[in-house]
Amino acid sequence: MRIGILGAGGMADALGTQWARAGHTVMISGRDPGRSTAQAGEMRAQAVRTPAGQADVRAGTWAEAACFGEVVMVAVREAGLVDVLRAAGASMRGKPVIDVTNAAAPDRYDPTRPIARLISDLTGGHVVKAFNLCHVDVWRMTPPVFGGRPLAVPLCGDDPAAMDAARTLVADLGCKPLNGGGLDRATQLEATAAFVIGLWFGGADAQAILPPLDSSGAHGQG
Ligand SMILES: NC(=O)c1ccc[n+]([C@@H]2O[C@H](COP(=O)([O-])OP(=O)(O)OC[C@H]3O[C@@H](n4cnc5c(N)ncnc54)[C@H](OP(=O)(O)O)[C@@H]3O)[C@@H](O)[C@H]2O)c1
């Protein structure tokens, strides 16, 4: 599929390179056309799939990437989010929009101002919150597997077609898509990210805070 990415930073690079390697066509975008074009070149080089197979990664403006994508990923810093979405224009309306955005810092997250809902309101796109729980280096792994288990990626969104597209993109990384509920639940996903990132920054092993399913108390629950 054609994937437009608002962003040319770490997350755009990590996920966009994986998806280009999987055969998708990717357009990234940033504030500086020269830098985005150079970044797209690096991604093409990283994503080469076979000696004969060229990966397709391009660079464009915010509006070009939004228009280009059958699916659009929002991967910009929160500080620039509103300006970037305004510059991207109206072409995300009705499209699947993957939102990876987190608050600028764990203690800056405001659950009364959910980011995914803001993106939905500003774009009219079918937003799916995803990929926001793990560090960018995790998304560079081929594949992200820990202790023999593929990483599970929770997805929160309302639109079935957008959720399907997100599931495909998760599977393309070698990860396991996990239904996290509707877009209302994206607020919880954003808060979860703020909480666990706070633990990790404090040096704690956040993965250790949860028991396995068979000790979760959920047995026999419908
Ligand atoms: N890094 C992680 O480990 C990670 C993990 C999960 C989620 N996230 C989230 O993913 C999003 C992107 O993170 P990233 O790591 O890709 O960030 P990054 O490497 O710093 O790239 C940020 C992107 O945002 C753009 N941007 C637009 N307006 C901006 C502004 N006012 N200030 C700063 N940047 C602005 C930058 O444009 P230019 O290209 O012109 O600089 C760049 O393309 C963030 O919301 C972050 O919270 C990050």
Side-chain angles (χ1 to χ4, degrees):
M1 62 180 104
R2 288 194 316 276
I3 304 172
I5 302 183
L6 303 183
M11 290 292 278
D13 174 31
L15 290 166
T17 299
Q18 297 265 31
W19 292 328
R21 193 176 289 130
H24 301 293
T25 307
V26 173
M27 182 184 285
I28 60 170
S29 51
R31 290 169 293 186
D32 178 330
R35 224 173 38 218
S36 306
T37 300
Q39 178 62 37
E42 282 176 31
M43 292 169 68
R44 269 197 306 279
Q46 285 297 317
V48 167
R49 294 153 65 215
T50 65
Q54 276 295 325
D56 192 339
V57 185
R58 312 140 185 222
T61 63
W62 305 116
E64 285 167 347
C67 189
F68 173 83
E70 296 163 282
V71 173
V72 180
M73 178 166 82
V74 180
V76 295
R77 297 259 170 174
E78 193 192 20
L81 185 61
V82 171
D83 286 347
V84 168
L85 294 179
R86 291 210 170 110
S91 57
M92 290 154 77
R93 180 162 297 280
K95 289 185 185 177
V97 173
I98 310 293
D99 163 31
V100 310
T101 318
N102 280 325
D107 58 359
R108 302 263 298 276
Y109 179 61
D110 178 356
T112 67
R113 300 179 61 211
I115 302 168
R117 183 60 69 186
L118 174 74
I119 294 174
S120 166
D121 290 346
L122 288 179
T123 64
H126 297 305
V127 175
V128 178
K129 189 93 199 180
F131 305 111
N132 68 318
L133 286 186
C134 294
H135 187 265
V136 62
D137 289 344
V138 170
W139 305 123
R140 296 185 199 282
M141 294 173 67
T142 52
V145 172
F146 297 95
R149 282 199 310 179
L151 183 70
V153 180
L155 306 173
C156 295
D158 291 334
D159 182 74
M163 289 290 276
D164 273 352
R167 273 191 282 273
T168 298
L169 294 176
V170 168
D172 284 339
L173 304 178
C175 295
K176 192 176 158 206
L178 198 144
N179 185 2
L183 195 62
D184 284 347
R185 295 274 292 275
T187 316
Q188 295 174 13
L189 200 45
E190 291 169 2
T192 302
F195 186 68
V196 296
I197 291 168
L199 292 176
W200 280 319
F201 280 16
D205 177 7
Q207 193 186 22
I209 66 177
L210 298 176
L213 178 62
D214 59 9
S215 299
S216 67
H219 293 303
Q221 304 291 310

